[in-house]
């Protein structure tokens, strides 16, 4: 058992971090506020494992929240970054690797004929929104309750009561004039879609939706829901923007849109395409992308966008995935992981402590308190978070790290072995029992 209380080095480092950074972190969920306790400081990662500054090693299902599809410090990625770094980290001028990664993305993506690189998923989505507004000459956007599209002002809008709600921000500091242009609907509700489009369709520039909603649990939508959404957007001249920051180059070579044959108008990418470095991108038809500056009037720029390091990491990652049939392998690992967890969850449910699993290949989520995986935010049972907090710490003690929030998904990576999954399943087994 790992002593997760006596992590004295991390504790000292966290105190130090708190003196100079809000919550001691660069991104809020890292501060463990919803599970209690204090975060570990990671000293290094290798393959499927991370080692803390305290010297504890964990099997890692966070994988930097998705980018590390090959695992930590994959030799091909490290070599590509090192080779690029030795020749200069950023030029603020075109470089070959940029074109190469753009070519790879445009070849794999069914949506992008052209892409623009940015430095995060957040930048990709708010830039795509600007483009959608310009292309449609409309201001309103629609998103779904439980979907996350980064922290741009227009996306930090929460659902209220009623069918479509405009305008209540989920963060202070967002002007109501901005949040008032964003509508929020529940997922998994085709009637709500129809009612919205009947009333607001022709004033709506874009609908943003995650390929598989994976930021508030894991909430795959039915193919009928997708077909309805696509029809309604087409009828009203609204652009369908599929946010593939998580699903892109993960659930299939061409992401969710390719796998499902979904014809999106714009797509946003991040995470996997940067291979662990800060890279995002948005793409669409050559015509739509022709509206981006300098070809068109939609201004969007970036000092470090398309830098050779990020491009090299992305190219190396996609290269390994293609060489090793990474997507096939991850699907097999996912099936194997599901096989191990299913009896454990059945046992918990039979014992009156239900846990459901939602999973798609290398993405999985345990929903505490539910015996069936939900499809919308409001269908997630209240109260599951408390048990999750206990489960999280019980897993840590047993050497397994998952995201410190009941609503975050876990990621499998290509360096995991069947033996790792055995070890993980044993830890999940014991942690489920201990957290009842
Ligand atoms: N879109 C989705 C679907 C995401 O999951 C995320 C991040 N988790 C973002 C956008 C924002 O990406 P970033 O954190 O790189 O800004």
């Amino acid at each position: 058992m790992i002593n997760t209380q006596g992590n004295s080095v991390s504790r000292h480092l966290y105190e130090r971090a708190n003196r100079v950074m809000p919550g001691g972190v660069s991104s809020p969920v890292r501060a463990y506020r919803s599970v209690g306790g204090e975060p570990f400081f990671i000293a290094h990662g290798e393959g499927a494992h991370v080692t803390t500054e305290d010297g504890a090693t964990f099997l890692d299902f966070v994988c930097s929240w998705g980018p590390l599809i090959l695992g930590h410090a994959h030799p091909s990625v490290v070599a590509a970054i090192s080779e690029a770094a030795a020749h200069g980290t950023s030029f603020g001028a075109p470089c070959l690797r940029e074109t190469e990664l753009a070519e790879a993305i445009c070849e794999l993506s069914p949506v992008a004929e052209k892409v623009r690189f940015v430095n995060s998923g957040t930048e990709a989505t708010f830039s795509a929104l600007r483009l959608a507004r310009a292309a449609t000459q409309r201001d309103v956007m629609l998103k779904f309750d439980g979907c996350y599209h980064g922290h741009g002002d227009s996306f930090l809008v929460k659902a209220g009561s009623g069918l479509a709600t405009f305008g209540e921000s989920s963060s202070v500091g967002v002007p109501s004039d901005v949040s008032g242009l964003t509508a929020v609907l529940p997922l998994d509700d085709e009637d709500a879609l129809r009612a919205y489009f009947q009333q607001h369709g022709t004033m709506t520039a874009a609908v943003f939706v995650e390929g598989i909603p994976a930021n508030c649990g894991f909430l795959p939508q039915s193919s009928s829901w997708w077909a309805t959404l696509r029809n309604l957007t087409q009828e009203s001249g609204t652009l369908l923007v599929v946010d593939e920051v998580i699903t892109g180059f993960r659930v299939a070579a061409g992401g969710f849109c390719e796998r499902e044959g979904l014809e999106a108008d714009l797509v946003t990418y991040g995470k996997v395409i940067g291979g662990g470095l800060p890279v995002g991108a948005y793409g669409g038809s050559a015509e739509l992308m022709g509206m981006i500056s300098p070809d068109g009037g939609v201004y969007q720029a970036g000092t470090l966008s398309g830098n050779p390091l990020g491009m090299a990491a992305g190219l190396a990652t996609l290269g390994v995935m293609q060489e090793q049939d990474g997507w096939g392998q991850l699907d097999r690992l996912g099936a194997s992981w599901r096989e191990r967890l299913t009896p454990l969850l059945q046992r918990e449910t039979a014992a009156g402590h239900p846990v459901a699993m939602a999973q798609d290949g290398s993405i999985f989520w345990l929903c505490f308190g539910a015996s069936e995986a939900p499809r919308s935010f409001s269908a997630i049972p209240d109260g599951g978070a408390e048990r999750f907090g206990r489960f999280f710490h019980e897993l840590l003690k047993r050497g397994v790290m998952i995201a410190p929030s009941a609503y975050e998904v876990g990621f499998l990576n290509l360096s995991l072995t069947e033996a790792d999954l055995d070890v993980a399943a044993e830890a999940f087994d014991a942690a489920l029992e201990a957290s009842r």
Side-chain angles (χ1 to χ4, degrees):
M1 286 272 196
I2 294 171
N3 178 2
T4 55
Q5 300 308 310
N7 45 339
S8 57
V9 181
S10 282
R11 177 154 298 165
H12 170 73
L13 291 175
Y14 193 48
E15 272 170 24
R16 198 171 141 191
N18 264 293
R19 274 181 233 127
V20 283
M21 292 185 277
V25 291
S26 300
S27 196
V29 72
R30 298 178 195 170
Y32 277 26
R33 293 282 162 89
S34 72
V35 290
E38 287 179 359
F40 283 104
F41 275 60
I42 308 294
H44 57 92
E46 188 183 352
H49 294 87
V50 288
T51 300
T52 70
E53 294 282 1
D54 310 86
T57 295
F58 295 95
L59 196 54
D60 179 25
F61 288 103
V62 186
C63 288
S64 190
W65 306 79
L68 303 180
I69 199 164
L70 306 180
H72 293 271
H74 189 282
S76 301
V77 178
V78 172
I81 294 173
S82 309
E83 151 75 14
H87 292 93
T89 54
S90 180
F91 309 120
C95 69
L96 174 59
R97 286 187 181 88
E98 219 175 346
T99 311
E100 287 174 341
L101 186 58
E103 283 169 350
I105 291 171
C106 292
E107 198 180 307
L108 293 173
S109 166
V111 185
E113 285 176 353
K114 286 192 173 183
V115 282
R116 167 59 61 85
F117 287 115
V118 290
N119 303 292
S120 66
T122 295
E123 275 186 74
T125 53
F126 73 59
S127 305
L129 174 58
R130 187 177 303 143
L131 171 56
R133 284 176 163 157
T136 55
Q137 296 180 24
R138 302 172 184 176
D139 291 338
V140 169
M141 64 154 280
L142 171 66
K143 73 178 283 288
F144 295 94
D145 194 14
C147 281
Y148 179 68
H149 304 287
H151 62 86
D153 281 356
S154 300
F155 298 97
L156 293 182
V157 177
K158 63 184 172 195
S161 54
L163 270 189
T165 16
F166 282 91
E168 223 189 312
S169 177
S170 55
S171 165
V172 289
V174 175
S176 54
D177 283 355
V178 175
S179 58
L181 293 172
T182 299
V184 184
L185 281 187
L187 285 163
D188 191 36
D189 189 340
E190 292 177 40
D191 289 340
L193 281 179
R194 287 188 200 97
Y196 175 87
F197 276 92
Q198 195 169 20
Q199 217 182 336
H200 308 291
T202 53
M203 63 190 258
T204 305
V207 177
F208 278 75
V209 58
E210 291 179 62
I212 308 174
N215 276 289
C216 197
F218 193 54
L219 309 169
Q221 299 300 291
S222 68
S223 39
S224 152
W225 184 88
W226 278 107
T228 302
L229 179 63
R230 182 63 284 196
N231 285 340
L232 291 167
T233 45
Q234 243 148 14
E235 278 165 21
S236 63
T238 301
L239 299 187
L240 176 58
V241 188
V242 179
D243 182 351
E244 294 232 45
V245 165
I246 285 184
T247 50
F249 313 101
R250 173 175 283 277
V251 298
F256 178 80
C257 287
E258 180 225 30
R259 196 184 71 184
E260 303 299 315
L262 179 65
E263 288 177 20
D265 298 300
L266 288 171
V267 66
T268 53
Y269 296 122
K271 302 200 190 256
V272 170
I273 55 155
L277 291 190
V279 180
Y282 59 105
S285 66
E287 190 189 347
L288 275 175
M289 295 305 287
M291 296 186 72
I292 304 291
S293 182
D295 285 350
V298 179
Y299 189 71
Q300 187 274 304
T303 300
L304 294 171
S305 295
N307 71 78
L309 258 60
M311 303 295 103
L315 279 166
T317 299
L318 287 182
V320 172
M321 288 297 286
Q322 283 174 315
E323 276 160 30
Q324 301 188 2
D325 179 29
W327 295 285
Q329 275 201 59
L330 284 176
D331 278 348
R332 285 189 287 280
L333 271 176
S336 188
W337 183 226
R338 184 181 194 88
E339 233 168 72
R340 285 171 171 82
L341 286 193
T342 302
L344 306 181
L345 305 183
Q346 281 167 348
R347 178 197 70 198
E348 291 302 300
T349 301
H353 306 283
V355 192
M357 175 167 172
Q359 185 234 2
D360 188 317
S362 62
I363 310 173
F364 71 96
W365 176 58
L366 297 188
C367 182
F368 286 88
S371 39
E372 237 175 79
R375 278 187 192 270
S376 69
F377 177 50
S378 60
I380 301 173
D382 291 334
E386 208 181 302
R387 183 176 176 199
F388 176 83
R390 293 194 296 274
F391 175 71
F392 171 83
H393 286 290
E394 292 295 336
L395 265 188
L396 270 188
K397 283 191 219 163
R398 292 167 175 84
V400 175
M401 193 175 274
I402 58 172
S405 158
Y407 300 100
E408 299 286 349
V409 296
F411 294 102
L412 305 184
N413 71 81
L414 211 54
S415 68
L416 278 167
T417 62
E418 291 289 335
D420 290 329
L421 293 187
D422 283 339
V423 169
E426 221 169 277
F428 272 64
D429 185 350
L432 279 167
E433 251 193 79
S435 64
R436 280 179 184 171

